């Protein structure tokens, strides 16, 4: 296990902290908790220093660790710390707030896949590798999430033009 140098650690934190934070806020819907998870992910990166051949692997590792830490957080604190998502919709651009509200209403697996596919621009195969799921499962979840979003947004009118 190689040690991560200060310059390299700083470079990786600067490059990936926004992505890790967005994934955390997407899963936790709470800025303070997302900041804690982001910090924990980079502490784990520095302390464990996974060996990687290219940064694509490292990025996938960071996403997987972030989602795992969010899942652990939910298991530990979900019943105690519930807040309304409406308090955090200001994080998105005003034109996307309605859509983000509906994405937040999707089940967690659908939310993560939608986020990774549309915001991080991963392919279905890459998402399957990151989440350790079958590509067919990821594809099914993506189709179901799209269908559910389409139904929700067309019911509300104005967001979705089919």
């Amino acid at each position: 296990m190689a040690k991560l140098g200060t310059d390299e650690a700083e470079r990786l934190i600067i490059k990936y902290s926004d992505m890790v934070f967005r994934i955390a806020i997407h899963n936790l819907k709470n800025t303070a908790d997302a900041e804690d998870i982001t910090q924990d992910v980079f502490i784990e990166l520095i302390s464990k220093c996974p060996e990687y051949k290219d940064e694509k692997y490292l990025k996938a590792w960071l996403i997987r660790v972030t989602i795992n830490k969010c899942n652990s957080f939910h298991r530990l604190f979900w019943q105690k710390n519930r807040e309304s998502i409406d308090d955090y919709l200001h994080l998105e651009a005003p034109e996307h707030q309605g859509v983000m509200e509906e994405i937040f209403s999707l089940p967690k697996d659908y939310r993560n896949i939608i986020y990774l596919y549309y915001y991080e621009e991963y392919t279905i195969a890459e998402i399957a590798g990151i989440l350790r799921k079958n590509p067919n499962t990821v594809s099914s979840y993506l189709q179901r999430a799209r269908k559910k979003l389409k139904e929700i947004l067309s019911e509300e009118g104005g967001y979705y033009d089919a």
Side-chain angles (χ1 to χ4, degrees), residues 100-148:
M100 285 307 296
E101 186 175 323
E102 302 311 331
I103 290 173
F104 281 138
S105 72
L106 294 173
K108 181 180 57 165
D109 286 334
Y110 292 0
R111 280 195 317 261
N112 285 329
I113 290 171
I114 289 282
Y115 176 79
L116 292 173
Y117 188 80
Y118 287 106
Y119 290 93
E120 294 299 328
E121 299 179 349
Y122 277 102
T123 65
I124 289 173
E126 292 169 329
I127 295 169
I130 291 168
L131 299 178
R132 295 184 177 146
K133 293 188 182 294
N134 184 307
N136 293 333
T137 303
V138 171
S139 180
S140 295
Y141 283 5
L142 184 59
Q143 288 176 344
R144 290 178 195 156
R146 286 177 181 154
K147 183 179 178 184
K148 191 167 185 134

Side-chain angles (χ1 to χ4, degrees), residues 1-5 8-10 12-14 16-17 20-21 33-50 58 61-62 65-66 69:
M1 190 182 322
K3 273 217 164 202
L4 196 59
E8 179 68 0
E10 185 176 345
L12 293 173
I13 290 168
I14 289 169
Y16 293 112
S17 61
V20 169
F21 178 76
D33 294 335
E35 289 170 348
D36 289 345
I37 293 294
T38 302
Q39 182 176 355
D40 290 346
V41 167
F42 287 107
I43 288 171
E44 187 161 334
L45 172 68
I46 292 167
S47 65
K48 292 197 176 175
C49 188
L58 178 67
W61 183 88
L62 288 168
V65 169
T66 303
K69 286 191 176 293

Side-chain angles (χ1 to χ4, degrees), residues 22-31 33 74 78 81-92 96-108 111 149 156:
R22 284 191 313 266
I23 293 169
I25 194 81
H26 191 73
N27 279 277
L28 301 176
K29 302 172 195 140
N30 181 303
T31 305
D33 294 335
H74 281 297
W78 179 246
N81 298 327
R82 290 188 114 170
E83 295 187 29
S84 171
I85 190 168
D86 297 333
D87 298 337
Y88 303 102
L89 288 177
H90 67 279
L91 297 173
E92 291 297 320
H96 296 291
Q97 285 182 359
V99 176
M100 285 307 296
E101 186 175 323
E102 302 311 331
I103 290 173
F104 281 138
S105 72
L106 294 173
K108 181 180 57 165
R111 280 195 317 261
L149 279 174
E156 291 180 2

